[in-house]
Amino acid sequence: MPNILDQVITTERAGTCGPPWVQRQHRSRYRWAIQYVSGQVVLDAACGLGYGTHMLYHQGGAARVVGLDCSEEAIDHARSTYGENERLSFQLGDVLNLPFGDNRFDVYVSFENIEHLGDVPQYLAEAKRVLKPEGVFLVSTPNRRVTNPRLRRDQKPFNPYHVREYQPEELLTELSAFFPKCELFAISLFSERYVRYLNSLPRLTRHFPARVHQATKVFCELFRLFPSCEVQPVSSDDALRAEYLVVAARQI
């Protein structure tokens, strides 16, 4: 389904267009994050076009929210769409070299970002640096076992903008080096039978199983069979069949 994939990739930053399941998954992450932000100082990076940053401010009751992104076009769009005030602002910046002092934020929201980065330890070190000791780091990323079946961690994912994708234990291991306390959640739990099927497909090409999964999602959407896009707590076993992994990580 190349046309569907192109929509997913080119609208990944927005979360406001493209396939309907992408919209639901994007927004569900921020609805889940709202529970953490009331009265808190929050960083949302990479914020993309800013709709999630605005949700954290408008619906979450954060004391202050800063949306940060490396795209000047995205930041300009966010500012023109949502405006800025003493509690809501947008800033150009790099998650590998955050333009903030130490211990600045109570909550750091980082959805669909880690898979795009080459230097993940630097990204996590920066997150730890700008968070207060009792702060929380909210992360989401695709689960490779579902989105790129049979692909090794060191192989290039189907999505050309992703550097690497993780399975649950790999992600928790990466995060726990900087944030020892990790709570695991998930989005869109497919059946274990279906996920085993994906991982048993012949690799006619490297990304053949991933293409099958993309086509399956179109079928599920058409016949209203798509798994829930809401964030939900999961066991380590159930996380293996989730399309997206979500973690609330803390230092203490």
Side-chain angles (χ1 to χ4, degrees):
M1 302 297 297
N3 291 337
I4 292 293
L5 176 64
D6 287 346
Q7 288 185 48
V8 172
I9 292 170
T10 58
T11 64
E12 189 177 47
R13 181 183 297 275
T16 55
C17 49
W21 62 84
V22 173
Q23 298 177 45
R24 296 195 300 269
Q25 290 168 335
H26 270 283
R27 292 186 176 276
S28 75
R29 296 178 182 100
Y30 282 100
R31 283 196 299 271
W32 170 78
I34 281 172
Q35 67 185 293
Y36 294 92
V37 305
S38 178
Q40 304 296 293
V41 180
V42 182
L43 173 62
D44 180 24
C47 70
L49 301 183
Y51 73 94
T53 311
H54 186 256
M55 285 177 66
L56 298 174
Y57 157 69
H58 184 69
Q59 299 177 29
R64 176 165 167 72
V65 186
V66 179
L68 180 135
D69 201 276
C70 63
S71 166
E72 187 172 356
E73 181 181 11
I75 292 299
D76 288 345
H77 179 278
R79 286 171 173 163
S80 63
T81 302
Y82 302 109
E84 294 183 295
N85 57 49
E86 61 182 11
R87 290 178 51 207
L88 173 68
S89 63
F90 296 96
Q91 185 169 338
L92 193 67
D94 181 357
V95 296
L96 300 182
N97 185 22
L98 292 169
F100 308 110
D102 297 354
N103 304 320
R104 173 79 178 274
F105 297 97
D106 301 296
V107 182
Y108 182 172
V109 177
S110 183
F111 294 151
E112 304 308 291
N113 193 16
I114 191 172
E115 66 273 11
H116 293 266
L117 303 172
D119 192 348
V120 170
Q122 175 64 18
Y123 157 72
L124 295 175
E126 278 292 273
K128 182 176 180 178
R129 180 182 67 78
V130 301
L131 274 170
K132 298 174 183 178
E134 67 278 12
V136 59
F137 185 41
L138 306 180
V139 181
S140 73
T141 193
N143 173 18
R144 188 178 77 251
R145 186 167 183 257
V146 176
T147 57
N148 280 274
R150 301 192 63 186
L151 205 69
R152 298 193 310 269
R153 182 177 175 178
D154 62 342
Q155 291 179 306
K156 181 70 175 174
F158 185 33
N159 186 324
Y161 295 100
H162 292 182
V163 174
R164 70 177 61 84
E165 293 182 3
Y166 299 86
Q167 292 195 23
E169 286 306 314
E170 296 168 348
L171 178 65
L172 293 175
T173 298
E174 196 89 68
L175 291 172
S176 64
F178 294 85
F179 299 94
K181 294 188 176 181
C182 294
E183 295 178 79
L184 184 61
F185 302 82
I187 298 174
S188 298
L189 293 169
F190 287 83
S191 73
E192 179 56 34
R193 182 178 179 182
Y194 167 70
V195 177
R196 285 200 305 267
Y197 159 74
L198 285 178
N199 283 273
S200 69
L201 288 171
R203 293 182 62 183
L204 303 177
T205 66
R206 176 182 292 182
H207 297 305
F208 174 69
R211 291 183 182 276
V212 171
H213 180 56
Q214 294 296 328
T216 299
K217 291 194 290 184
V218 177
F219 175 87
C220 289
E221 186 68 26
L222 289 173
F223 292 94
R224 299 184 179 181
L225 299 172
F226 207 98
S228 171
C229 292
E230 294 304 308
V231 178
Q232 53 191 297
V234 289
S235 66
S236 296
D237 287 342
D238 281 341
L240 289 169
R241 59 189 181 90
E243 186 170 37
Y244 287 93
L245 306 170
V246 185
V247 178
R250 301 176 189 270
Q251 298 179 56
I252 59 176

